[in-house]
Amino acid sequence: MSKLLLTGNEAIARGAWECGVGAAFGYPGTPSTEILENLVKYPGVYCEWSPNEKVAFESAAGAAIGGCRSMVTMKHVGLNVAADPMMTLSYVGIVAGMVIVVADDPGQHSSQTEQDTRHYARLAKLPILEPGNAVECAAFMKIAFDLSEKYRCPVILRSTTCVSHSRFHIETAERVEHSRVAFEKNLQQFVPIPMFGRKLRAKVEERMATQALESAQNRQLNTIFHRGNELGIISSGVAALHCVEQFSDASILKLGWAWPFPDQLLKDFAASCKKIAVIEEGDPILEEHVKALGISCDGKNVVPRCGELTPRVIAEIKAKLTGAPLPDFSQVAQADDLPTRPPMLCAGCPHRGIFYGLTKFDVIVTGDIGCYTLGAFPPLERTDLLICMGAGFTLAHGMVKAGETRPVVGIVGDSTFFHSGITGLLNLVYNKGNATLIVADNRTTAMTGHQDHPGTGRTLMGEETLSASIEEIAKACGMKRIRVVDPNDLEAVHQVLQQELAADEPSLIISRAPCILKEKSAAKPPLAIDADKCRNCRACLKLGCPAIETLDVKGKPSINAQQCVGCKMCESVCKFGAIR
Amino acid sequence: MNQNILLCGVGGQGILLAAKIIALAAEKAGFEVTTNEVHGMAQRGGSVTAQLRYGDAVYSPLILERQADVLASMEMIEALRYAHFLKPGGLAAVSTQKIIPVTVSSGKMQYPADAEARLREVFPRLELCDCLDAAIKMGNAKLANTILLGTLSAGLAGIDLPLWESAISECVKPAFVEANLAAFRFGRKENER
């Protein structure tokens, strides 16, 4: 046994490994990605990146029903993709334990929405555990597997960005192997045709009632900090830990088993305190239930509905609840005029070429989720609409069908193409659409830190495998016009766009060059701007490259040698030969 | 006793390695330690922060504004952006690098010309150092974060020099240990003590 300083994600992997998980599946998504990246380093666990969360979920379900402790990981929006199998698996149940690890992103650090996965637990009628730090991440994983086997249903473990990315010391243990349980045919259990499904449905309700009773007794998951009877706070996750520090005179009930609600525990705790407040991140799920139990409490009247419950927000809640003076949190430095630092395409990013190329045409661009989402930022500003994974293609199709007269361009990345782009492309061809589709193919899942996918020729386990061809798949779907272009060659990009945007049938452009962060060997010596030749026309600045700097409008731009990777895009846009 | 440290800068400046070394040094000193790091989209050229807390009992991994004992920044305006985290009397260790955001290069916003004057006004306990220049003079630009680490270490309680040195030795590659120890001592002004 040793002590390790682990992030929540590392601890989830550690806890799963220690309790004998045999198979793990997932699709990358911040803040969940590092779970599988760490789990794969341990011996004896099969790990894979699946093309999307639904595939990952169903594979994990198959593994668990096949008798092997399994898990699936994803970010909150990934669960939208995997929701379909989850609803039915709740009825069908599992044989060996299965844990669904979902990482929510309160505050939307890197997400398009702020979803509260507890809603899904209630909808799917599955237990959900909510660790507040890495210690609990490891411990709760083990409990989740035990509960899953006890109740023969998958268990959700919900992390959040702060929990996943904060480090705490955890005591490690050795792995306890979990032997495979053989699958036995049982139609009434595993084939939920309506006549069997109705019986399973009733059993699910019984299961939930039993779980609520057990949760009320469980002091390992649901902990109480007894500190007087004036104010009692009911909270969960990392928000509860902020409360433990800041409300030194309040008793705190920290729910680690977030649903089904432990009614008796909530009633007993409320009866022990004069005043009750529910402080929960996200939606008022717990608060509404507490009120439904007839307990009057403060909640979203003082707790924000949106955003992360940071220590500062907790301090503001405390001031409202207790009348305690609020420290002065205002900026001490003059900061209102500080330039912002939004994320952007890296110096040398090949995506820049295709987005820059699009700035030369009057088109509508429907984008997608990945590094190339950053093409929406100035000065490129070449994304007009963004919804979710795969929608880059399908939104474009819909816009054309709506009668849009400008050319419509739909962009997805390579990982996104395999995730959910293929069906959109197939549909566009089948239903005679006429959008220009682009795959921004940088040969990796870049935004989440370079994970492999079906097109990279390598698995998460590090094995070589076949590399699925985007152009062959498109061809098989019936796409006739397929062009491959190197986005670092701006002239070629312009030509291809000109031809394909003018075509009166759908076309696919594969903009292909490796991610510069991944292929560090592709970096070349930095370029420099010859100030004598530079006329300060600022054409190079329109590329939005972070390596090209200028402090004000009058000053000529210069290239930051620490950042430049020598991609030479700026050289090709300089009409005066000033960049070499 | 609890100590809170906020590190800030821009992606690629070595903030996360510095955080790792502080965490290990605090662990060696027998404290409970938590850290929190920014991941994901924020790494693509955005501002990066790492928070560390160590002490006898630490529950929350995040620092409440006005409670940081040390604010250390590898970039000037990032120090101004997070200045309100520092407690009155806390140490601000700032490297004088200017990393020009694209919002400035595209002409939409201005990099404040008086950044250094603002730093001096806001932080009564300010250690300002051109860590990058000093690192290049020591032979390796990548030592800049270790120099800043040395400077900020002087503002932290409960961790003695040998523990810092042992943490650095464990966190950097063997070939770079001596250079990093020298950079740390330079930043900490050990020779002037």
Side-chain angles (χ1 to χ4, degrees):
Chain A
M1 215 155 75
S2 64
K3 230 170 111 186
L4 292 175
L5 187 65
L6 299 184
T7 63
N9 282 346
E10 290 166 347
I12 289 169
R14 179 80 202 188
W17 179 75
E18 287 179 5
C19 72
V21 72
F25 307 79
Y27 184 79
T30 311
S32 71
T33 313
E34 304 87 3
I35 300 168
L36 286 194
E37 290 187 318
N38 281 284
L39 185 57
V40 74
K41 295 175 190 166
Y42 293 105
V45 190
Y46 172 77
C47 296
E48 75 170 40
W49 290 127
S50 312
N52 66 36
E53 293 86 353
K54 175 172 148 68
V55 173
F57 189 104
E58 291 158 355
S59 304
I65 293 169
C68 164
R69 279 195 165 186
S70 79
M71 63 190 275
V72 57
T73 72
M74 64 198 74
K75 70 182 293 178
H76 60 307
V77 286
L79 189 56
N80 302 335
V81 179
D84 191 8
M86 180 167 72
M87 298 303 150
T88 310
L89 187 66
S90 173
Y91 285 25
V92 166
I94 42 78
V95 174
M98 172 173 166
V99 180
I100 304 158
V101 182
V102 184
D104 286 4
D105 188 16
Q108 293 173 253
H109 296 274
S110 48
S111 307
Q112 63 272 43
T113 63
E114 186 176 61
Q115 288 174 206
D116 191 329
T117 289
R118 293 178 299 166
H119 286 295
Y120 268 117
R122 197 153 61 164
L123 180 60
K125 302 177 187 294
L126 292 175
I128 182 165
L129 308 188
E130 225 182 324
N133 62 25
V135 181
E136 292 183 345
C137 282
F140 286 16
M141 273 309 277
K142 298 179 182 180
I143 299 171
F145 275 109
D146 289 341
L147 287 175
S148 172
E149 280 160 8
K150 179 173 180 182
Y151 291 104
R152 299 196 67 253
C153 67
V155 171
I156 304 171
L157 185 117
R158 176 201 186 217
S159 179
T160 60
T161 303
C162 184
V163 175
S164 280
H165 290 164
S166 295
R167 290 176 196 276
F168 282 79
H169 274 121
I170 77 162
E171 299 277 352
T172 60
E174 284 310 305
R175 176 171 166 96
V176 178
E177 290 295 342
H178 206 266
S179 48
R180 205 174 75 87
V181 189
F183 172 75
E184 283 172 32
K185 189 179 171 100
N186 180 351
L187 292 189
Q188 302 195 13
Q189 184 66 45
F190 296 119
V191 185
I193 51 175
M195 58 185 286
F196 298 148
R198 283 189 284 270
K199 286 184 182 142
L200 295 172
R201 167 84 183 83
K203 280 189 188 167
V204 167
E205 292 297 323
E206 287 168 25
R207 183 180 79 200
M208 285 193 298
T210 318
Q211 286 168 355
L213 293 176
E214 178 175 344
S215 177
Q217 300 296 325
N218 191 314
R219 285 298 176 284
Q220 199 183 355
L221 291 168
N222 302 324
T223 45
I224 299 178
F225 295 79
H226 292 284
R227 294 186 296 194
N229 62 357
E230 285 300 318
L231 174 62
I233 291 169
I234 308 174
S235 187
S236 63
V238 71
L241 299 177
H242 302 327
C243 289
V244 169
E245 287 208 9
Q246 291 196 35
F247 286 89
S248 48
D249 300 327
S251 286
I252 292 165
L253 168 59
K254 178 181 174 300
L255 290 188
W257 188 337
W259 195 87
F261 301 112
D263 286 356
Q264 196 54 50
L265 179 61
L266 294 169
K267 286 179 194 162
D268 293 348
F269 181 75
S272 74
C273 297
K274 290 180 186 159
K275 193 177 157 189
I276 291 292
V278 178
I279 300 182
E280 61 189 317
E281 207 163 52
D283 295 322
I285 298 173
L286 179 57
E287 176 189 340
E288 284 171 4
H289 185 73
V290 167
K291 284 178 172 163
L293 290 174
I295 300 164
S296 73
C297 64
D298 284 300
K300 291 295 175 187
N301 55 322
V302 291
V303 180
R305 283 171 182 264
C306 309
E308 201 173 7
L309 295 190
T310 60
R312 174 175 172 165
V313 175
I314 299 290
E316 287 163 354
I317 294 167
K318 184 183 171 189
K320 285 180 192 158
L321 278 176
T322 66
L326 186 66
D328 177 17
F329 290 132
S330 57
Q331 288 282 350
V332 291
Q334 187 191 342
D336 51 353
D337 65 340
L338 294 180
T340 53
R341 219 180 269 284
M344 66 194 117
L345 297 173
C346 302
C349 174
H351 295 329
R352 178 170 287 106
I354 197 77
F355 283 103
Y356 179 78
L358 285 167
T359 63
K360 306 295 176 193
F361 297 92
D362 181 22
V363 293
I364 291 178
V365 181
T366 58
D368 214 295
I369 311 292
C371 281
Y372 48 95
T373 308
L374 302 174
F377 284 110
L380 297 166
E381 290 184 300
R382 234 27 189 168
T383 294
D384 302 300
L385 179 59
L386 176 74
I387 301 286
C388 64
M389 296 281 290
F393 281 179
T394 44
L395 290 168
H397 175 61
M399 276 213 163
V400 171
K401 290 293 182 189
E404 175 56 49
T405 51
R406 287 162 289 185
V408 184
V409 177
I411 302 188
V412 306
D414 45 334
S415 192
T416 309
F417 177 81
F418 296 114
H419 179 284
S420 46
I422 297 170
T423 42
L425 183 145
L426 176 67
N427 181 58
L428 184 133
V429 175
Y430 165 57
N431 281 307
K432 298 175 176 292
N434 185 17
T436 304
L437 305 183
I438 297 177
V439 179
D441 178 9
N442 60 358
R443 316 304 300 149
T444 185
T445 317
M447 181 56 105
T448 44
H450 304 123
Q451 289 74 34
D452 282 300
H453 61 61
T456 64
R458 187 167 283 276
T459 69
L460 176 57
M461 301 290 279
E463 291 170 317
E464 298 216 352
T465 182
L466 100 169
S467 165
S469 157
I470 295 170
E471 40 274 58
E472 291 300 323
I473 291 171
K475 212 180 285 177
C477 290
M479 181 64 82
K480 298 236 163 39
R481 297 180 71 101
I482 299 172
R483 304 285 299 273
V484 179
V485 67
D486 176 358
N488 292 304
D489 183 346
L490 295 183
E491 205 170 309
V493 166
H494 189 79
Q495 268 184 16
V496 168
L497 283 174
Q498 204 159 35
Q499 289 160 7
E500 298 312 311
L501 289 171
D504 57 0
E505 59 179 336
S507 68
L508 173 69
I509 301 169
I510 300 169
S511 166
R512 179 174 289 152
C515 170
I516 193 72
L517 291 185
K518 172 114 170 142
E519 299 294 321
K520 291 205 173 90
S521 57
K524 298 180 196 83
L527 305 186
I529 298 178
D530 183 339
D532 293 336
K533 288 186 184 166
C534 173
R535 310 267 187 94
N536 204 12
C537 74
R538 305 176 92 75
C540 57
L541 290 169
K542 291 186 179 149
L543 286 165
C545 175
I548 308 176
E549 299 178 342
T550 169
L551 269 172
D552 57 68
V553 199
K554 288 172 205 151
K556 291 180 180 176
S558 60
I559 292 176
N560 181 331
Q562 306 271 350
Q563 293 204 52
C564 176
V565 294
C567 75
K568 298 193 173 179
M569 267 187 220
C570 54
E571 185 183 298
S572 67
V573 299
C574 181
K575 289 177 189 147
F576 307 105
I579 305 180
R580 282 281 179 270
Chain B
M1 194 271 300
N2 275 357
Q3 294 277 283
N4 301 323
I5 306 118
L6 184 83
L7 304 176
C8 52
V10 179
Q13 287 191 305
I15 303 260
L16 298 186
L17 177 64
K20 192 175 164 191
I21 294 170
I22 298 171
L24 185 59
E27 180 188 339
K28 286 171 182 288
F31 294 114
E32 277 189 28
V33 186
T34 75
T35 75
N36 178 269
E37 297 152 11
V38 173
H39 287 237
M41 195 182 258
Q43 285 182 322
R44 300 284 177 263
S47 48
V48 169
T49 60
Q51 306 193 19
L52 286 104
R53 307 189 65 217
Y54 69 85
D56 303 320
V58 186
Y59 291 96
S60 161
L62 299 181
I63 302 170
L64 177 62
E65 277 98 320
R66 292 280 201 284
Q67 294 292 326
D69 297 279
V70 167
L71 171 79
S73 180
M74 289 292 291
E75 208 278 348
M76 290 212 286
I77 60 167
E78 295 310 309
L80 293 172
R81 209 187 298 281
Y82 295 101
H84 57 295
F85 273 86
L86 192 63
K87 68 164 62 157
L91 171 71
V94 182
S95 184
T96 54
Q97 265 66 67
K98 285 182 188 175
I99 299 192
I100 314 294
V102 164
T103 47
V104 171
S105 295
S106 64
K108 291 202 190 313
M109 303 183 92
Q110 294 251 314
Y111 196 101
D114 60 345
E116 192 172 324
R118 288 194 203 180
L119 289 170
R120 291 187 191 284
E121 187 192 323
V122 172
F123 301 119
R125 261 181 88 196
L126 174 67
E127 288 286 348
L128 203 59
C129 168
D130 188 339
C131 294
L132 182 61
D133 183 61
I136 291 169
K137 285 183 179 140
M138 294 180 95
N140 186 349
K142 289 187 174 166
L143 295 171
N145 57 342
T146 313
I147 293 174
L148 191 75
L149 180 65
T151 308
L152 77 87
S153 74
L156 290 174
I159 306 174
D160 296 333
L161 182 61
L163 297 179
W164 283 111
E165 296 189 330
S166 141
I168 291 167
S169 306
E170 281 181 42
C171 289
V172 304
K173 286 185 186 150
F176 298 104
V177 168
E178 277 313 311
N180 274 280
L181 291 178
F184 181 82
R185 287 187 208 113
F186 173 81
R188 197 175 156 99
K189 300 184 182 170
E190 271 302 312
N191 300 334
E192 297 167 30
R193 283 171 188 236

